[in-house]
Amino acid sequence: MPDRTVPSPHRLAFGGDYNPEQWPESVWQEDVRLMREAGVTLVSVGIFSWALLEPSPGSYDFGWLDRVLDLLHENGIRVDLGTPTAAPPAWFYRAHPDALPVTPEGVRYAFGSRAAICHSHPAYRAAAARITEQLARRYGGHPALALWHVHNEYGVPVSACYCDGCAAHFRRWLQARYTSVEALNEAWGTAFWSQRYASFDEIDPPRLTPTVGNPAQQLDYRRFADATMRENFVRERDILHELAPGAPVTTNFMTALSQCDSVDYWAWGREVDLVTNDHYLITDGRRTHVNLAMAADLTRSVAGGTPWLLLEHSPSGVNWQPRNPAKRPGEMARNSLAHVARGSEGAMFFQWRQSRRGAEKFHSSMLPHAGTDSRVWREVVALGADVGALAEIRGTRTVPDVAMVWDWQSWWAQSLEWRPSQDLDARERADAFYVSLYDRHLTVDFAHPDADLSAYPLVVVPALYLATEAAGRNLRAYVENGGTLVVSCFSGIVDEHDAVHPGPYPGALRDVLGLTVEEWSPLLPGETVRLSGPGGAELSGDVWTEFVVPRGAETVWTYADGPAAGGPAVTRHRLGRGTAWYVSTRLDAGALAPVIDAACADAAIEPRSDLPTDVEVVRRSGENGVYLFAINHTDRDAKVPLERSGTELLGGERAAGRLTVPAGAVRVVRLDAE
């Protein structure tokens, strides 16, 4: 079996995507010289090189790649070698124009971008397998090879195709899933609107219809599209395992909820040898470092807490948002080391040298158009030294405080049409609850609804519209055994087929929450409701209200006005040895604070009132010791209390008492043994 660890023995990974084919060979020597100066240990190569590696069908040209890999090896730089299957060449589409994906409206995309692929197309699958086999046979034993990188960012920008070939593949997938068309009719509720099928042959993808289509069909098609991409990954992975054993196989995820919504990463995390992730700041005015922390926590959780690797982020601005500001001085290092704090075994970028041509020529790079006499380059070199100084943390694990339940398939289901309010968004709820936990300086693990939650004193469920009976039993057992649970509104409503659970809302979560909901009453834009709580404290909610009937739960906050005035708004249910909280309206991160604080008290979690807002403190622990990362995202120096003295790794100084973290800086302390 391949080695399932990050591919930089005795050091953390540092480097980025390297595209030497965009430059004359005379530049390559300069590249590796500057890579050595910057402390680069790993580069990703060949990800979009199919047209050069196979310039015509069955005709291969590996000479340039041979020279690149040899040059990198001679300079002590390891390689994350791509299979170029995210961008088939023009000759492939000329021979197979029907391999271009089709939209639900019946429009076929054209060649000229990337990832324009029908993942069901047999010719694409065969061609991808052939180029992967060629690469595996040629480079499986190359001394520079550290990691295989299959495809690129599955699900972006196209995840699903609606062509006739996909229709046939979908029917086969459905037959394997349901066995009989009678079972499918039951699961999909096809008695509604006379949609009953007599055979699988009658079923098509959920293409454009005059009004809303069958939601169960739409949900299954998202599952099918995700599974089909994963089939293609597994096929390439298995070829690499067979022909080039020893090197781990990955593909770069995009776990941030702000960047990809079409991939069930719980399923994908089980298929890769090493979880890797790409993360880019969404500069929409929010605290971008919180989104970064959330994405890193989510990636670590998909990896099951084991080592993972940040495979791409940007040295400065990106090029694909409406407005793309440069990162401020020091921000690149803070971003990079925040990922490391939350479990990454290094920091990689897109890309090494900034392109002169193509769609990404304005995307920042480690070596910018401005060259080495630039702030970005100087910060890259300094960061390379810092990453090198942290080698001893390799293999340690981030220490979590609490967990958040998240399910991509529930998000898909909640996002379908004709829900009670388009303003109640699962991603927004996840963001709000995460921010509230982040501002309490709690490190978050994410968990699937069926996962073992017993290790966590507090579990938060921000959005679980789709909750299976098994998930309901799991959450109930967690509380009965002493856990503290916080559940947000519109959770527990439907089963895996988007069918409402029998009986009153909230379906699968009625018992654990100790209540029923008679009716929802979403609010109109601009409307708010007041909540009255302990000691006369008031909160403000918006978007959503519910008529809650306690069935064992106690009322903690009451609706002071609005449709449900006088009724319960926030409840607490003592069940077994634990407690379950329910929030029946939309509270922003600030308004959630007293609820989270009360739940933390139930869970015996001590608040970190000694830490300033936007100063992260995260721990990694392992055989080498305990490492405290203190990351100051503010413009003022901060003091971070240390429970015991230690050594600051980035400067070598001793640290005790209260650690000073300058504005915008990062400090990493190896705490002395107890």
Side-chain angles (χ1 to χ4, degrees):
M1 290 296 294
D3 178 14
R4 294 177 182 267
T5 59
V6 172
S8 294
H10 314 303
R11 54 187 180 176
L12 298 179
F14 183 68
D17 282 38
Y18 181 39
N19 297 293
E21 65 272 25
Q22 297 179 13
W23 302 90
E25 291 198 29
S26 58
V27 176
W28 299 358
Q29 291 289 341
E30 179 188 25
D31 281 332
V32 295
R33 177 180 63 80
L34 292 175
M35 287 178 188
R36 291 198 307 270
E37 182 179 332
V40 168
T41 64
L42 180 70
V43 293
S44 301
V45 175
I47 297 169
F48 293 110
S49 301
W50 195 341
L52 293 179
L53 294 171
E54 189 178 5
S56 60
S59 175
Y60 301 99
D61 180 4
F62 295 112
W64 68 273
L65 189 55
D66 291 346
R67 296 191 293 277
V68 168
L69 266 59
D70 290 348
L71 179 62
L72 291 166
H73 175 64
E74 290 164 6
N75 286 272
I77 299 163
R78 305 196 78 198
V79 171
D80 165 37
L81 184 57
T83 67
T85 52
W91 59 256
F92 173 81
Y93 288 117
R94 185 177 180 87
H96 305 285
D98 56 342
L100 288 161
V102 174
T103 69
E105 297 80 10
V107 176
R108 190 178 296 279
Y109 287 112
F111 173 76
S113 182
R114 67 173 189 176
I117 296 165
C118 168
H119 281 275
S120 297
H121 200 284
Y124 168 74
R125 291 182 166 205
R130 284 194 300 271
I131 188 66
T132 300
E133 290 169 358
Q134 292 289 327
L135 289 165
R137 294 182 190 281
R138 190 171 189 92
Y139 298 111
H142 197 287
L145 179 66
L147 179 66
W148 287 107
H149 182 306
V150 170
H151 205 268
N152 184 75
E153 295 177 346
Y154 280 98
V156 178
V158 177
S159 60
C161 171
Y162 296 79
C163 71
D164 289 342
C166 284
H169 190 188
F170 184 44
R171 294 177 196 120
R172 294 191 296 272
W173 184 87
L174 290 172
Q175 192 156 11
R177 182 177 179 86
Y178 292 105
T179 306
S180 71
V181 73
E182 291 79 12
L184 179 141
N185 281 320
E186 175 65 22
W188 283 11
T190 56
F192 184 81
W193 281 354
S194 190
Q195 295 176 353
R196 183 181 180 278
Y197 298 102
S199 74
F200 285 102
D201 292 338
E202 295 176 353
I203 301 172
D204 282 325
R207 295 167 174 149
L208 184 65
T209 52
T211 186
V212 174
N214 187 318
Q217 179 190 22
Q218 293 186 68
L219 180 57
D220 265 350
Y221 204 75
R222 295 199 70 158
R223 291 171 173 142
F224 160 75
D226 178 58
T228 301
M229 291 188 294
R230 198 160 58 250
E231 285 175 11
N232 287 350
F233 166 77
V234 167
R235 185 172 186 180
E236 291 189 44
R237 180 204 65 192
D238 290 350
I239 290 169
L240 296 168
H241 280 175
E242 178 185 356
L243 300 180
V249 181
T250 191
T251 185
N252 44 342
F253 293 170
M254 297 192 76
T255 64
L257 306 185
S258 54
Q259 292 175 312
C260 183
D261 65 356
S262 59
V263 174
D264 181 353
Y265 286 115
W266 294 124
W268 284 78
R270 297 189 291 268
E271 300 295 350
V272 297
D273 296 330
L274 171 71
V275 168
T276 61
N277 194 53
D278 297 352
H279 182 265
Y280 293 98
L281 299 183
I282 304 299
T283 50
D284 59 2
R286 289 186 281 186
R287 296 152 69 198
T288 56
H289 55 277
V290 182
N291 176 275
L292 184 157
M294 184 177 179
D297 284 345
L298 191 48
T299 308
R300 180 186 69 252
S301 302
V302 167
T306 62
W308 63 277
L309 178 61
L310 174 66
L311 204 55
E312 288 185 28
H313 72 314
S314 64
S316 191
V318 298
N319 70 307
W320 39 264
Q321 297 182 82
R323 288 157 291 280
N324 298 290
K327 291 185 178 180
R328 293 166 293 171
E331 190 174 3
M332 173 174 60
R334 286 197 308 280
N335 290 168
S336 301
L337 297 179
H339 283 287
V340 173
R342 295 178 184 271
S344 177
E345 297 281 73
M348 304 279 286
F349 293 92
F350 180 84
Q351 60 179 324
W352 163 252
R353 182 184 283 271
Q354 197 165 12
S355 300
R356 289 187 56 229
R357 299 175 177 85
E360 294 179 312
K361 57 182 173 290
F362 298 127
H363 192 293
S364 63
S365 296
M366 299 172 75
L367 181 59
H369 292 309
T372 57
D373 187 14
S374 64
R375 175 179 66 86
V376 166
W377 174 253
R378 288 187 287 272
E379 291 192 13
V380 164
V381 173
L383 177 60
D386 285 348
V387 171
L390 298 178
E392 67 183 80
I393 73 165
R394 186 176 185 272
T396 60
R397 296 192 177 195
T398 300
V399 180
D401 298 305
V402 300
M404 179 180 286
V405 167
W406 179 255
D407 182 24
W408 276 274
Q409 295 193 25
S410 176
W411 186 18
W412 298 345
Q414 186 174 335
S415 299
L416 295 173
E417 306 96 330
W418 286 12
R419 297 326 186 205
S421 174
Q422 66 178 12
D423 299 323
L424 188 63
D425 176 70
R427 178 200 155 191
E428 184 280 331
R429 288 292 76 201
D431 285 345
F433 274 85
Y434 186 89
V435 169
S436 196
L437 296 169
Y438 179 95
D439 285 345
R440 269 137 202 82
H441 304 283
L442 298 173
T443 301
V444 178
D445 269 357
F446 285 80
H448 188 273
D450 295 339
D452 180 1
L453 303 171
S454 59
Y456 306 101
L458 174 64
V459 172
V460 171
V461 182
L464 194 62
Y465 162 76
L466 187 160
T468 63
E469 291 182 4
R473 290 192 297 269
N474 189 46
L475 293 174
R476 177 177 178 128
Y478 165 74
V479 174
E480 288 177 328
N481 290 324
T484 300
L485 182 71
V486 181
V487 177
S488 187
C489 56
F490 203 45
S491 293
I493 308 304
V494 301
D495 66 12
E496 60 270 34
H497 304 299
D498 199 47
V500 175
H501 286 285
Y505 310 130
L509 304 183
R510 279 193 304 262
D511 293 345
V512 67
L513 296 175
L515 54 82
T516 59
V517 175
E518 290 186 349
E519 197 173 9
W520 305 307
S521 188
L523 301 178
L524 300 179
E527 290 185 339
T528 60
V529 290
R530 290 184 300 112
L531 281 59
S532 177
E538 286 198 352
L539 301 174
S540 179
D542 64 3
V543 170
W544 189 268
T545 63
E546 297 181 350
F547 294 92
V548 175
V549 180
R551 309 284 185 183
E554 61 180 295
T555 299
V556 183
W557 269 269
T558 302
Y559 285 111
D561 59 16
V570 178
T571 62
R572 178 175 181 264
H573 185 216
R574 294 179 176 89
L575 181 65
R577 295 187 287 112
T579 57
W581 291 78
Y582 184 60
V583 183
S584 69
T585 184
R586 192 178 82 164
L587 302 178
D588 65 18
L592 282 169
V595 180
I596 296 298
D597 287 342
C600 284
D602 281 348
I605 296 174
E606 292 292 330
R608 294 299 306 269
S609 57
D610 53 353
L611 292 174
T613 300
D614 289 329
V615 175
E616 291 184 43
V617 175
V618 183
R619 287 169 175 78
R620 289 182 61 153
S621 179
E623 292 183 359
N624 292 340
V626 177
Y627 300 85
L628 182 146
F629 284 71
I631 306 169
N632 187 352
H633 295 284
T634 77
D635 57 4
R636 295 183 179 181
D637 293 356
K639 298 284 188 179
V640 173
L642 297 176
E643 62 263 36
R644 56 185 186 271
S645 59
T647 301
E648 205 286 301
L649 297 184
L650 300 182
E653 304 91 353
R654 291 291 295 168
R658 293 176 68 85
L659 174 70
T660 298
V661 186
V666 180
R667 294 290 180 263
V668 184
V669 178
R670 184 204 313 114
L671 300 176
D672 293 341
E674 292 184 287

